[in-house]
Amino acid sequence: MKKSSSPFCQCLYYASNALARITTRMAEEEFASVGLSPSYAFLIMTVAKKPGIQPGEISKDLELTPSTITRLIEKMEKKGLLRRKFEGKTTSVFVTAKGEARTEDIKKCWLNLYLRFQDVLGEENSKQITGLIYQAVQDLEISKV
């Protein structure tokens, strides 16, 4: 294991951003084969799992702001991968046939990403690190109220 020479390696902000840059690069490499960024891929997987899901629920599931979700959906509509159905004040989101045809490849990319993390970190470490990071996300989110 390579030790960091950075004077900031004990700082959560520094370490989490360094980790985010590395994991983002890895995710972008994996999802490139389907021509989507990781955010778009996770959006499609979320909608495919819950056809008719409302944007507010997508926002909660992906932990992105509603305006970001709206922008992502609009771009996926233009690519013909998602469609919205408006009924009064309610908006439901669905995967199109074109989007559905890509979901298995998207899931394979996600699995490949998981396996890449596991190859480097080990299966148990990967699970523990992911759990600890997500618990920190939840704790920090709650504390900002």
Side-chain angles (χ1 to χ4, degrees):
M1 182 187 295
K2 186 171 113 177
K3 287 231 178 200
S4 175
S5 59
S6 171
F8 308 112
C9 65
Q10 297 299 313
C11 172
L12 178 60
Y13 173 79
Y14 174 86
S16 62
N17 276 289
L19 178 64
R21 286 189 298 275
I22 293 167
T23 58
T24 296
R25 180 184 43 79
M26 292 171 73
E28 287 171 346
E29 290 169 1
E30 289 303 327
F31 289 108
S33 67
V34 292
L36 296 171
S37 73
S39 295
Y40 291 124
F42 279 96
L43 173 62
I44 290 173
M45 286 190 291
T46 300
V47 176
K49 188 175 180 179
K50 299 178 185 178
I53 189 171
Q54 295 181 357
E57 188 176 349
I58 297 170
S59 176
K60 289 177 186 170
D61 285 355
L62 296 182
E63 299 194 33
L64 295 169
T65 63
S67 62
T68 299
I69 293 300
T70 298
R71 193 172 66 253
L72 293 175
I73 291 170
E74 288 172 351
K75 288 184 180 180
M76 290 293 91
E77 275 186 310
K78 288 178 183 173
K79 290 185 180 227
L81 301 172
L82 295 179
R83 70 175 174 85
R84 288 181 287 183
K85 182 178 179 183
F86 302 96
E87 292 179 24
K89 293 183 179 183
T90 303
T91 302
S92 302
V93 185
F94 299 89
V95 176
T96 63
K98 183 178 176 182
E100 190 66 44
R102 295 173 82 173
T103 57
E104 285 308 311
D105 288 336
I106 290 169
K107 288 178 185 177
K108 286 178 189 172
C109 293
W110 186 26
L111 176 61
N112 289 342
L113 179 61
Y114 172 78
L115 293 174
R116 278 181 73 180
F117 293 148
Q118 213 174 277
D119 284 347
V120 174
L121 302 170
E123 183 176 3
E124 193 55 37
N125 279 344
S126 183
K127 288 177 182 177
Q128 286 181 339
I129 291 166
T130 301
L132 288 170
I133 290 170
Y134 195 69
Q135 184 62 54
V137 167
Q138 291 177 317
D139 292 346
L140 291 168
E141 187 64 32
I142 289 169
S143 74
K144 77 177 195 180
V145 178

